[in-house]
Amino acid sequence: MAHPVQRQAEIVELSPVGAYHRLVLRAEGIAGRVLPGHFAALAVDRADGSLLLRRPFFVHRADPAEDTIEVVFAEVGAGTRALARQRVGDLVDVVAPLGTAFPVPTGPASALMVAGGYGSVPLFGLADRITEQGGSVGFILGAASADRLFGVEQARALTPDVLVTTEDGGYGIRGQVTLPLTEAMRAIEARVVYASGPTAMLRAVAEVCANEEVRCFTAVEQTMACGVGVCMSCVLPVVGEDGVSRLVRSCVDGPCFDGSRVRWKDFGTVPPDLEGAAAMGGH
Amino acid sequence: MSAADPTVFVQTGSIEEPPDAEAVDLTAPFGGGTLPNPVTTAAGCAGYGRELAKFLPLAELGSITTKTITAQPRAGRATPRVAETPSGLLSGVGLQGSGIEHFVEAELPWLAERGARVLVSLAGESVEEFAACARALNGQPGVVGLELNLSYPNADNQGLVFASNPATSHDVVQAVREVADPELPVYAKLAPDVTSVTDVAKACVRAGADGLSMINTLPGVVIDTDTLRPRLAPSGGTVVGGLSGPAIKPVAVRCVYEVHAAMRAGECATVPILGMGGIRTGLDALEFVLAGASGVAVGTAIFNDPTAPLRVLDELREALAARGFARLTDAVGLAHHQN
Ligand SMILES: Cc1cc2nc3c(=O)[nH]c(=O)nc-3n(C[C@H](O)[C@H](O)[C@H](O)COP(=O)(O)OP(=O)(O)OC[C@H]3O[C@@H](n4cnc5c(N)ncnc54)[C@H](O)[C@@H]3O)c2cc1C
Ligand SMILES: Cc1cc2nc3c(=O)[nH]c(=O)nc-3n(C[C@H](O)[C@H](O)[C@H](O)COP(=O)(O)O)c2cc1C
Ligand code: FES
């Protein structure tokens, strides 16, 4: 996993992108440690404020030369609202980088990036890595509506193989990312699929990949209290190397997981064959 | 004042030396002995220490309290397990863990190598299970004490937690005290949601507890007004979680205050109190000390700031110095003094 540090980061940019906010933070010693799929945990309230939990966000870009990292976030509740009200020059308490990044193929490979909404945020740094290694990438970017898409232009700058889906049909193909998925995988002869977005989407993508026998890595979003691995709130059922299923921490062992090892159907439950399930008996 | 006024004003009195925080003696009573300083982590809020070690040297804390360890591995509760509340957190992790054997083999040696002083939190669904876990820790490196998490359902008493009742609390403490290494202090961790926390405290001390930890979380429910359902996943038939964080601090200070008062009144033998519940700053910790705690644990605040335990220690040291205390122990229970 990553080697996180805690810093008071200065906001050097905060601007709208579509339905989202782009936040660029400057802090020493973070950017150089970031790998694609890592996330940052941002304090959203004052040190004596009432919102205690940090909010996790994928790192979109990391620039070691400038000591900056960039996150892109949707305003959905009190924490992200508070973050959006900050000004350039304000300080934000950041812990980053966190989590286990996406595994990257060692040689040139064709990869398909599949994202829902802001889920595309961590996929561009990853796409860069893959192309740097002589590989190629394609994208399927989906969202409920056009303003909730993120990074369509960035994707087009990297590759001609970009498909866009919107559920309301306002832009691109009407429907969800899984609609053109199989065809797109075959068209670019994808050896691996990287998916990031809502859990239901990840599950659907993982199922298609299983049918097509293509490797699939997913970035999951689970509610987190600490983000650093101490509280056990962010767990999901994963089949281990030893074949035993356990509830593992998505903030440390994830958020990037091999999609074929995640027990998608069992999210939010404690299936009886899980290690330690027997002890849960009545409580 | 006219320009012709000849009056000259001067500063009188001595300029005081700024208090030297480094000089404050933070040695903290712990069981029958002491620890180098009063700050520990609250059980379940620092895992087994590995992750926190990336943010602070564990050996600089008075001790590190592990999450509660049981005899067998526990999968824990379903997710979501947490919901943020105003200045608080509702959580129901369900004591997920790999069991005592794994802890002794894989976690404890790592902690001991780093010089951490480990307060091991234990639980079981029977008196025997508590005792078995305690026995497994005898002679192990790094362990400085045992903390009994009495907020654990008692299989022999309709699943009511041990802490709900002075008699069941007494039995657990007594059984553990009998089998545990006599050198190791045994702390009983009390729950706040009881008729009289003092009665439970007295029973535990009578049974041989060398210290009292208080408080555990307060039971609560949060309902999501969009989904119209509780925020914590139903698990094992409950959606109740434990409330922690600054929101519960006055309740925790009250519990420490009441039990310390009973000790001062001679109703209960005096043992050190480890205070916790919403500690976020050195001044929060000082409140607990003034109420009667000689140690403090930082829990939920770690989720907000992973360096919180060390920061609280530094701030407490400065707060004591600023108030002219040469020793931590001089401040313990001071709020009870009549003048
Ligand atoms: C690994 C990871 C990466 C993420 N990356 C991004 C990103 O790049 N851009 C982005 O816009 N959002 C991202 N999210 C989701 C983001 O963390 C939440 O939208 C945010 O925490 C909401 O906070 P709030 O106070 O505004 O909302 P509220 O709904 O008021 O939050 C209440 C609580 O629920 C938690 N919560 C709410 N929604 C989510 C969610 N979707 N996932 C996890 N916890 C949630 C909050 O952290 C908070 O503790 C990511 C989540 C995770 C786990
Ligand atoms: C996520 C979480 C997990 C906890 N796990 C345990 C535990 O395993 N054993 C225990 O005795 N207390 C546990 N507690 C309670 C804390 O140790 C502490 O008593 C309580 O949270 C009050 O302190 P705080 O407000 O500083 O967190 C847990 C609390 C939280 C928030
Ligand atoms: S969020 Fe605390 S362990 Fe993952």
Side-chain angles (χ1 to χ4, degrees):
Chain A
M1 74 165 276
H3 296 283
V5 293
Q6 184 179 14
R7 293 282 186 273
Q8 297 295 319
E10 184 195 347
I11 299 181
V12 291
E13 189 180 332
L14 179 55
S15 55
V17 266
Y20 305 117
H21 300 270
R22 186 178 116 90
L23 174 65
V24 183
L25 297 165
R26 176 172 294 134
E28 197 190 306
I30 295 179
R33 301 165 180 245
V34 174
L35 295 173
H38 279 157
F39 66 98
L42 273 55
V44 292
D45 206 341
R46 297 189 324 254
D48 61 352
S50 78
L51 300 175
L52 299 177
L53 301 185
R54 286 167 184 271
R55 300 319 195 236
F57 302 99
F58 288 114
V59 178
H60 176 47
R61 298 280 181 192
D63 183 346
E66 293 288 321
D67 269 339
T68 56
I69 58 168
E70 183 177 332
V71 299
V72 174
F73 68 93
E75 218 175 304
V76 295
T80 46
R81 241 190 335 269
L83 209 51
R85 273 200 308 265
Q86 301 273 55
R87 303 274 173 84
V88 169
D90 287 352
L91 295 180
V92 178
D93 187 320
V94 180
V95 176
L98 290 163
T100 294
F102 282 114
V104 180
T106 47
S110 171
L112 181 61
M113 312 285 166
V114 183
Y118 59 74
S120 55
V121 163
L123 298 181
F124 295 98
L126 178 65
D128 285 348
R129 290 233 159 189
I130 289 167
T131 47
E132 277 161 19
Q133 289 180 194
S136 59
V137 295
F139 281 87
I140 305 178
L141 301 174
S145 54
D147 63 334
R148 309 230 134 232
L149 291 164
F150 176 77
V152 176
E153 292 315 312
Q154 286 188 63
R156 288 202 172 124
L158 280 171
T159 169
D161 297 316
V162 179
L163 292 175
V164 176
T165 66
T166 53
E167 279 166 49
D168 65 2
Y171 188 54
I173 304 163
R174 178 194 296 270
Q176 299 186 323
V177 290
T178 38
L179 193 61
L181 180 59
T182 309
E183 209 178 317
M185 282 164 70
R186 291 176 184 167
I188 65 164
E189 294 178 26
R191 292 245 321 267
V192 56
V193 170
Y194 293 99
S196 172
T199 306
M201 182 205 102
L202 299 179
R203 176 180 173 178
V205 171
E207 276 166 12
V208 172
C209 290
N211 289 337
E212 296 291 306
E213 296 181 356
V214 169
R215 289 299 294 273
C216 167
F217 295 101
T218 53
V220 303
E221 265 183 41
Q222 285 282 82
T223 304
M224 295 180 176
C226 75
V228 300
V230 296
C231 76
M232 308 304 288
S233 66
C234 61
V235 299
L236 69 167
V238 172
V239 186
E241 302 279 334
D242 55 1
V244 178
S245 295
R246 298 180 181 84
L247 289 172
V248 307
R249 293 165 298 177
S250 60
C251 69
V252 176
D253 300 309
C256 304
F257 289 100
D258 182 333
S260 67
R261 294 198 167 272
V262 177
R263 292 179 51 168
W264 301 102
K265 285 195 272 292
D266 297 319
F267 262 61
T269 68
V270 182
D273 63 319
L274 231 60
E275 179 182 272
M280 297 313 294
H283 46 264
Chain B
M1 180 175 90
S2 85
D5 186 341
T7 317
V8 174
F9 294 87
V10 295
Q11 199 88 47
T12 63
S14 63
I15 308 287
E16 276 182 47
E17 284 274 309
D20 180 5
E22 287 309 315
V24 177
D25 180 358
L26 287 174
T27 308
F30 180 76
T34 61
L35 287 174
N37 71 62
V39 177
T40 187
T41 54
C45 300
Y48 301 123
R50 277 182 202 267
E51 297 80 12
L52 217 55
K54 296 185 175 179
F55 298 96
L56 52 87
L58 300 178
E60 285 190 22
L61 299 178
S63 67
I64 158 149
T65 308
T66 67
K67 61 182 171 165
T68 294
I69 298 159
T70 51
Q72 298 304 320
R74 283 174 62 88
R77 282 169 61 163
T79 57
R81 291 175 167 181
V82 288
E84 194 183 47
T85 67
S87 295
L89 175 71
L90 190 78
S91 67
V93 169
L95 303 186
Q96 180 176 347
S98 306
I100 188 87
E101 236 175 82
H102 168 87
F103 172 72
V104 169
E105 280 165 21
E107 303 292 346
L108 194 52
W110 185 91
L111 282 163
E113 269 169 37
R114 268 138 201 93
R117 288 165 290 273
V118 189
L119 179 54
V120 185
S121 170
L122 299 177
E125 55 183 45
S126 64
V127 169
E128 293 73 31
E129 214 175 296
F130 268 97
C133 288
R135 215 181 280 114
L137 289 163
N138 283 342
Q140 295 298 333
V143 181
V144 295
L146 308 179
E147 180 177 80
L148 309 180
N149 176 1
L150 299 174
S151 298
Y152 197 84
N154 176 356
D156 297 332
N157 190 14
Q158 296 150 16
L160 281 177
V161 301
F162 289 94
S164 64
N165 176 313
T168 48
S169 299
H170 175 278
D171 293 350
V172 173
V173 174
Q174 189 172 49
V176 170
R177 194 55 290 178
E178 267 169 22
V179 301
D181 178 347
E183 299 290 311
L184 284 185
V186 172
Y187 272 59
K189 183 163 177 182
L190 309 184
D193 52 320
V194 292
T195 311
S196 165
V197 69
T198 312
D199 285 349
V200 183
K202 284 182 200 164
C204 290
V205 173
R206 232 183 297 119
D210 306 287
L212 299 168
S213 300
M214 58 180 91
I215 58 174
N216 215 313
T217 54
L218 281 157
V221 169
V222 176
I223 294 172
D224 185 322
T225 49
D226 289 325
T227 65
L228 315 180
R229 294 292 180 277
R231 289 279 295 271
L232 301 196
S235 199
T238 187
V239 295
V240 174
L243 186 64
S244 63
I248 70 166
K249 195 183 71 176
V251 177
V253 174
R254 182 267 298 174
C255 291
V256 172
Y257 192 92
E258 282 183 1
V259 171
H260 187 78
M263 291 176 182
R264 293 178 77 89
E267 295 163 25
C268 174
T270 298
V271 297
I273 295 172
L274 179 57
M276 69 198 79
I279 296 177
R280 193 175 192 180
T281 67
L283 292 183
D284 294 333
L286 181 59
E287 252 192 83
F288 279 85
V289 171
L290 295 169
S294 42
V296 289
V298 179
T300 303
I302 294 174
F303 307 161
N304 177 259
D305 172 11
T307 64
L310 210 51
R311 180 175 50 72
V312 166
L313 175 62
D314 290 338
E315 290 172 359
L316 175 62
R317 184 189 283 119
E318 275 162 33
L320 288 167
R323 285 157 186 75
F325 291 104
R327 284 183 300 263
L328 166 79
T329 47
D330 292 343
V332 174
L334 201 77
H336 295 262
H337 286 204
Q338 296 303 318
N339 45 36

